[in-house]
Amino acid sequence: MRQTDFSYTVAKFGGTSVADYQAMQRCADIVLADPAVRLVVVSASSGVTNLLVELAKGQLTEAERLDHLAQIARIQYQILDQLQRPAQLAADIDDLLVQMDKLSKQRLGGLANGAISDALLALGECCSSALFAELLRQRNEQSLCFDARRVMRTDNHFGKAEPDLTALKQLLEQHLQPLLQANRVVTQGFIGADSEGNTTTLGRGGSDFSAALMAEALQAEVLAVWTDVDGIYSCDPRLVTTARPIPELSFDEAAEMATFGAKVLHPATILPAVRCGSAVFVGKSRAPEQGGTWIRKEVATSPGFRALSLRKQQTLLTVHSLNMLHARGFLAELFAILAKHRISVDLITTSEVSVALTIDDTGSSGSGASLITPELKQELATMCRVEVTEQLALVAVIGNQLATTAGIAKQVFEVLEPFNVRMICQGASPHNLCFLVDAQEAEPVVQQLHRTLLDD
Ligand code: ADP
Ligand code: ASP
Ligand code: MG
């Protein structure tokens, strides 16, 4: 049973969709065309988070730091100027730019500091949400900008904080939901706050995840993700020119695609939708009339081969130990150490005395290799010999009944004949067949597979 008698659509607009004033106007057209859209979640304007990430590293020269700040100010002022610089908004944006200056100065030459970094990264979304709420008001809409940190309670793992779903639901019902009747509420994706009020972020691309969690907390009927492509394609269209948008995907298929590298959705986006049963739509804010992809529990077709995903910068960890031979508990011990170091394992294959696994680096800015710290290596060395291989790419073939249909492996591996396949995982899920290849071979592999398995 839904708790509300009104069915909400939560609309999320990504960075390119709110890149400038004209792009924001197109988002406003989409919002105003649908009375069900009461909550709007925005990313930072395109390019801003990348600049903030550089500032947060604290390794720029003073001239570079000032140049980065000037680039961000230019992006925000272009929008502010076209909004005719309302006094309060201009003061708010200037205040956010001053905070960027201060925090980036604090980061200069300093040791890594997650709290300062996240406070800095969050400012991009703070700017775009304030600007977009004003733009809606100028289109005669009752609208306000709501600070997501009031509801998006997380733990304090800066850079990749984990939301507390119970707190989010309770805070959202208390502080945000009552505003939705009278206002179109604009809030920030990507950002949250821990229980002490420190700003946190959910990892790169996290605005999709924020929107999905808010849609779940609101029990929204639809989560609409507006981006720069007209749907989820059979492969990243930047990689395969013949890739085509898929009109309808099941939750399972979409979750596999997001998990295995289809950047169009943050990997964690689908789970909240599955839990609350809302449909997810992915469309292009520049051309909403082109339609997009609907992701639902039940779909009309379930083809064997649906799509391909590619995840670069993969790190393979191979551990060898003779103690594994006929032993009990070796894997449990290995996984306990990895869990203690907050490493989430992705693919895994085992032999009698070795285990090979890839590391899930979802949302982190670096590759999995940066998660393998000297402390982790030291601890693993007490029980096994460890080998780390970088420069790999993970290719996922996504579809249905892949593990139970005769001939699937043959079709895939015939294409792979000229390439060196480093590791293969099949059988755990009916929806994927994954393997690792050398990074430089990844694109030809994916292009060749698409030609054979998915081109008409
Ligand atoms: P936003 O800023 O709106 O969140 P992103 O850049 O995060 O947008 O995601 C959109 C991009 O995802 C597309 O431009 C496209 O290059 C990439 N992408 C990767 N895989 C796919 C896919 N299977 N279908 C569509 N886009 C994909
Ligand atoms: N602005 C953040 C990023 O660029 C979050 C997002 O866009 O989803 O990673
Ligand atoms: Mg994104």
Side-chain angles (χ1 to χ4, degrees):
M1 271 297 278
R2 301 208 170 260
Q3 284 173 354
T4 49
D5 41 14
F6 183 81
S7 70
Y8 289 112
T9 291
V10 172
K12 178 261 169 177
F13 294 98
T16 44
S17 300
V18 293
D20 54 37
Y21 177 78
Q22 287 71 23
M24 279 194 180
Q25 284 291 5
R26 286 188 290 267
C27 299
D29 293 339
I30 291 170
V31 171
L32 300 185
D34 184 354
V37 178
R38 307 301 301 171
L39 180 62
V40 175
V41 178
V42 292
S43 292
S45 301
S46 187
V48 170
T49 308
N50 286 347
L51 290 162
L52 290 170
V53 166
E54 289 307 313
L55 287 166
K57 286 182 189 157
Q59 283 158 6
L60 300 176
T61 62
E62 180 60 5
E64 288 167 339
R65 188 183 75 87
L66 293 175
D67 176 67
H68 278 57
L69 289 170
Q71 286 188 54
I72 297 173
R74 256 199 308 280
I75 295 171
Q76 312 305 347
Y77 283 156
Q78 183 267 355
I79 306 169
L80 185 63
D81 288 345
Q82 303 235 35
L83 290 168
Q84 312 298 327
R85 285 194 157 260
Q88 183 57 55
L89 180 65
D92 291 346
I93 296 294
D94 279 338
D95 179 51
L96 293 166
L97 295 172
V98 167
Q99 288 184 48
M100 279 178 207
D101 181 27
K102 263 198 204 143
L103 291 167
S104 62
K105 221 181 250 161
Q106 283 179 38
R107 287 292 302 116
L108 272 189
L111 293 174
N113 183 320
I116 299 182
S117 257
D118 275 5
L120 185 52
L121 295 191
L123 296 170
E125 268 72 8
C126 293
C127 288
S128 58
S129 52
L131 292 162
F132 190 63
E134 172 63 22
L135 187 138
L136 288 181
R137 283 193 292 275
Q138 294 193 8
R139 302 264 311 245
N140 297 322
E141 208 45 38
Q142 178 108 350
S143 172
L144 54 84
C145 177
F146 181 90
D147 192 330
R149 288 168 288 199
R150 291 178 61 198
V151 295
M152 185 59 76
R153 173 69 54 79
T154 69
D155 66 13
N156 63 359
H157 281 101
F158 298 107
K160 199 183 169 189
E162 214 146 293
D164 172 343
L165 305 190
T166 314
L168 166 65
K169 192 166 178 355
Q170 190 237 316
L171 292 166
L172 189 136
E173 273 169 15
Q174 190 182 344
H175 300 296
L176 199 159
Q177 197 154 355
L179 303 172
L180 294 177
Q181 224 150 37
N183 303 279
R184 307 264 196 176
V185 174
V186 180
T187 193
Q188 306 84 27
F190 181 53
I191 78 172
D194 68 11
S195 56
E196 288 169 17
N198 300 304
T199 298
T200 56
T201 61
L202 308 187
R204 293 303 308 268
S207 295
D208 300 329
F209 187 30
S210 301
L213 290 173
M214 290 185 193
E216 180 186 16
L218 266 182
Q219 303 207 332
E221 202 99 8
V222 176
L223 165 66
V225 177
W226 293 100
T227 178
D228 62 355
V229 275
D230 55 343
I232 300 188
Y233 280 54
S234 49
C235 188
D236 186 343
R238 291 185 206 188
L239 202 63
V240 175
T241 50
T242 51
R244 291 285 167 264
I246 306 167
E248 215 183 26
L249 276 175
S250 68
F251 280 141
D252 287 330
E253 292 167 322
E256 298 279 0
M257 289 185 75
T259 305
F260 287 112
K263 179 176 173 251
V264 63
L265 285 182
H266 180 278
T269 313
I270 297 298
L271 195 57
V274 172
R275 284 194 299 253
C276 74
S278 21
V280 181
F281 173 79
V282 178
K284 184 174 182 172
S285 62
R286 231 170 208 286
E289 69 290 347
Q290 286 178 9
T293 300
W294 279 98
I295 304 165
R296 298 191 173 94
K297 186 162 179 252
E298 310 278 351
V299 288
T301 59
S302 302
F305 295 117
R306 179 72 99 176
L308 298 170
S309 285
L310 173 63
R311 223 164 56 186
K312 291 185 177 166
Q313 287 199 314
Q314 295 300 289
T315 304
L316 182 69
L317 195 68
T318 316
V319 304
H320 311 270
S321 170
L322 288 177
N323 296 341
M324 254 177 95
L325 208 59
H326 308 303
R328 293 189 187 87
F330 180 87
L331 281 182
E333 209 181 319
L334 172 66
F335 279 93
I337 294 177
L338 293 171
K340 192 173 113 193
H341 290 263
R342 288 182 67 82
I343 294 217
S344 148
V345 171
D346 223 6
L347 302 185
I348 173 158
T349 59
T350 64
S351 80
E352 198 55 25
V353 291
S354 313
V355 184
L357 48 90
T358 63
I359 290 168
D360 177 6
D361 55 6
T362 304
S364 29
S365 43
S367 71
S370 58
L371 301 173
I372 305 173
T373 58
E375 295 78 40
L376 169 64
K377 272 192 181 160
Q378 212 172 358
E379 197 163 347
L380 287 176
T382 61
M383 63 180 291
C384 51
R385 184 163 60 79
V386 183
E387 242 172 74
V388 179
T389 318
E390 291 180 66
Q391 305 297 325
L392 295 169
L394 192 167
V395 178
V397 177
I398 290 151
N400 296 281
Q401 279 119 36
L402 290 175
T404 48
T405 308
I408 291 283
K410 178 171 185 285
Q411 286 185 73
V412 172
F413 289 108
E414 253 172 13
V415 178
L416 296 176
E417 199 189 330
F419 302 100
N420 175 34
V421 177
R422 184 68 186 72
M423 175 188 191
I424 302 165
C425 281
Q426 192 201 10
S429 158
H431 301 290
N432 78 54
L433 186 170
C434 300
F435 52 89
L436 287 180
V437 290
D438 285 342
Q440 73 270 20
E441 292 189 335
E443 295 194 1
V445 162
V446 168
Q447 285 153 355
Q448 186 61 43
L449 275 173
H450 198 281
R451 214 168 297 140
T452 310
L453 307 178
L454 291 160
D455 278 358
D456 291 335

